[in-house]
Structure formats: C-alpha cells, structure tokens
C-alpha cells in the first residue's frame, strides 16, 4: 500500500491559515490513507526553518508555508527549489499584489492577526522559555519546567519543545552526550516531568547524514557512524533508567503525535 501524503505546514505564527486551506483541498480526494499533516508553528529564524525543511526532505513531503517574513519565505523557497521539494507559498504572491496595487508595505508581523489576550501572552512566555532553555543552555531552567525532554542529538527535542510551548507548556530539553556529565538539576525534579526520547540506529543515522550534508560537512564523520550512534543510544537508555523516566520512540511519529503522547504522560501523574 502507498505511504500517505506528508504535508508540512510551516508558519511564523500558528499555521491555521495553511491548515484550513489544506483541509479544503484534501477533502476533494479519495485517499486510501488520510494525509499526514505536520504543523510547525512559530518558526521565527533560519535555524528552526532549516531543521523543519530538512525533516520535510527526509519525509519526501510537500511544504505549505505561510511565512509573513519575506526573508524566511525566500529562504524556504530557495531551499525547496534546490532540494526539489514541492513548496506552496500561500502569502507571498497576494502580499506583493497588494503592495503593488496600493504602494503600501507589509508590516511582516506574524502576530498581527492574533488578539493580544492573556492566553496569547502565556503562549509567548512558554515559547520564550523553550528558546531560553533549549539544549540545556541554563540548567536552572529544568527546575521551572513543566516538561523536560532528554535524548541524544537529532531526536526531535527542539521542534517538540517548540510545539509543546505552543500548547502553553514550559519545556526545557537536555542533550545526552556520553562525554558530558548530566546536570545535577535533572535529578532534583520529579521523574514524571521527564520524558526520554529515542529512535532506531538506522533512522538516527539517516537524519544525521542529511544534517551533515546540509551543512557542507562529511556525512560519514564520527557523528553519523554506526559505532558512535549505538554508543549514544546505549548511553541514552542508561540515563533513562537512572532518571526512572518514561520513554517515547520517535522514529515513526510526527511531532504532533509525539506531543500528544507527552501530554498524555504528563497528565497521568
């Protein structure tokens, strides 16, 4: 049976505009299996955008973007053209048409459509928290987090943190590297607030090689070697046992699906 169509919604706001459009279009087809729609919201810089585009490339997906920032929109267009990824930009052509007709210029403010209510500010605070405490930049944030994600490099910690932040969760994440000691703060928080993320060696190897290639580096370096990957994954399992935390295998899951599992586990406490 054919794999479902994978559609990546990329937005520097919530991504509702694209989602509504996609639903209107996909409703016209008799799919054997419904499309896998993966929404990546609040993409505000090139690093986050590149990570999502790389994921779309690996998944052989279709990109539907509603990026208000012309700089990010051009970046996405250029990457998709270079990598031969189908890319639909829902905003740029209409924005340019209105600018040409009126002589006005777009504010390029992705949050301008949203009402500035308390829920909005709570969400922004959660997003800022996720950015501040990404990759354990400051381990003190672990003590304040609603959710702490731990896992080796390229197990979707950062995009998952961003997605959960959009659900108003304060999320911190910790990269697991055998040579780097675990922060002591990690052992001071309840195990039910910690979620381990892991994957298969094969999937991790593919993702790391794509990452290295996109950076112009040798994709056969130690970072993507079978030996190193197995060593890191084993270290991950040992860490999960020490922390007595629950674990999610992310290799066959969209970000939305993993996020739903995380929320379910956290609410079980």
């Amino acid at each position: 049976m054919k794999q479902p169509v994978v559609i990546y919604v990329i937005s520097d706001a919530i991504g509702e505009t694209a989602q509504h459009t996609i639903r209107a279009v996909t409703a016209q087809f008799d799919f054997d299996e419904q499309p896998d729609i993966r929404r990546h919201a609040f993409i505000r810089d090139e690093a986050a955008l590149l990570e999502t585009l790389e994921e779309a490339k690996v998944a052989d997906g279709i990109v539907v973007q509603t990026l208000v920032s012309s700089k990010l929109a051009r970046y996405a267009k250029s990457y998709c053209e270079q990598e031969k990824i189908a890319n639909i930009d829902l905003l740029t052509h209409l924005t340019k048409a209105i600018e040409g007709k009126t002589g006005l210029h777009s504010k390029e403010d992705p949050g301008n459509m949203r009402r500035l209510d308390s829920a909005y500010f709570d969400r922004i605070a959660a997003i800022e928290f996720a950015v501040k405490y990404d990759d354990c930049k400051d381990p003190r944030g672990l003590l304040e987090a609603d959710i702490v994600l731990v896992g080796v490099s390229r197990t979707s910690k950062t995009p998952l943190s961003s997605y959960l932040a959009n659900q108003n969760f304060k999320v911190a994440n910790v990269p697991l590297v055998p040579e780097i000691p675990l922060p002591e703060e990690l052992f001071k928080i309840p195990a039910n607030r910690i979620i381990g993320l892991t994957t298969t060696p094969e999937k991790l190897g593919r993702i790391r090689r794509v990452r290295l290639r996109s950076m112009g580096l040798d994709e056969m370096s130690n970072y993507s070697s079978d030996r190193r990957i197995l060593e890191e994954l084993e270290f991950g399992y040992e860490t999960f046992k020490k922390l007595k935390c629950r674990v999610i295998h992310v290799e066959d899951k969209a970000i939305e699906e993993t996020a739903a599992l995380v929320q379910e586990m956290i609410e079980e406490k």
Side-chain angles (χ1 to χ4, degrees):
M1 187 176 72
K2 289 184 179 179
Q3 293 294 317
V5 174
V6 180
I7 302 175
Y8 279 77
V9 175
I10 302 178
S11 175
D12 39 19
I14 293 179
E16 290 176 331
T17 302
Q19 195 128 9
H20 289 319
T21 302
I22 291 167
R23 285 174 180 160
V25 173
T26 56
Q28 308 308 313
F29 295 86
D30 293 323
F31 293 104
D32 291 331
E33 189 171 345
Q34 284 301 306
D36 181 358
I37 301 173
R38 305 178 182 181
R39 182 162 64 167
H40 290 256
F42 294 100
I43 301 296
R44 300 285 177 88
D45 58 61
E46 289 185 1
L49 179 56
L50 175 60
E51 185 165 357
T52 304
L53 291 170
E54 288 173 349
E55 187 180 324
K57 178 184 174 183
V58 171
D60 191 25
I62 297 170
V63 169
V64 179
Q65 66 180 64
T66 54
L67 293 164
V68 171
S69 164
S70 58
K71 179 182 178 183
L72 292 182
R74 288 194 300 270
Y75 186 98
K77 179 183 178 182
S78 174
Y79 181 96
C80 289
E81 287 178 347
Q82 180 179 332
E83 300 297 338
K84 295 180 172 55
I85 301 171
N87 175 38
I88 296 87
D89 184 338
L90 295 180
L91 299 186
T92 298
H93 295 303
L94 180 56
T95 299
K96 287 182 178 178
I98 292 174
E99 288 180 337
K101 192 75 171 176
T102 65
L104 299 173
H105 294 285
S106 167
K107 296 176 182 178
E108 297 197 6
D109 178 4
N112 212 34
M113 285 173 43
R114 308 302 301 177
R115 202 163 42 86
L116 300 183
D117 56 16
S118 60
Y120 171 84
F121 285 112
D122 288 344
R123 187 179 301 118
I124 293 302
I127 291 167
E128 290 175 347
F129 186 95
V131 171
K132 183 177 181 179
Y133 298 113
D134 183 46
D135 269 350
C136 206
K137 292 170 186 169
D138 183 348
R140 292 173 298 180
L142 301 177
L143 303 175
E144 302 175 34
D146 300 318
I147 302 169
V148 176
L149 304 175
V150 295
V152 302
S153 174
R154 315 313 291 182
T155 49
S156 301
K157 296 185 301 298
T158 296
L160 183 57
S161 295
S162 299
Y163 188 92
L164 288 166
N166 188 41
Q167 310 300 315
N168 285 19
F169 288 100
K170 292 191 296 183
V171 186
N173 69 70
V174 179
L176 299 180
V177 182
E179 295 79 14
I180 299 178
L182 296 170
E184 60 183 31
E185 289 84 355
L186 197 54
F187 296 92
K188 295 179 180 180
I189 57 180
N192 59 23
R193 282 166 49 195
I194 305 173
I195 303 293
L197 302 177
T198 191
T199 185
T200 64
E202 296 78 15
K203 181 67 179 287
L204 190 58
R206 285 197 300 272
I207 292 175
R208 287 189 175 186
R209 285 190 290 273
V210 168
R211 176 64 169 168
L212 290 169
R213 190 162 59 245
S214 71
M215 297 172 67
L217 301 174
D218 180 8
E219 62 184 80
M220 300 310 292
S221 72
N222 182 54
Y223 176 67
S224 62
S225 71
D226 293 343
R227 181 194 59 78
R228 178 61 180 181
I229 285 172
L230 289 172
E231 178 186 359
E232 289 188 28
L233 289 175
E234 182 60 32
F235 176 69
Y237 282 117
E238 291 172 0
T239 302
F240 301 151
K241 288 179 182 178
K242 286 180 184 177
L243 296 171
K244 299 179 181 178
C245 67
R246 287 160 294 184
V247 180
I248 297 175
H249 283 259
V250 301
E251 65 270 8
D252 57 349
K253 295 177 179 63
I255 291 294
E256 294 87 346
E257 185 180 356
T258 305
L261 286 172
V262 170
Q263 292 181 55
E264 206 174 285
M265 290 177 173
I266 295 299
E267 289 165 4
E268 280 176 1
K269 68 181 180 180

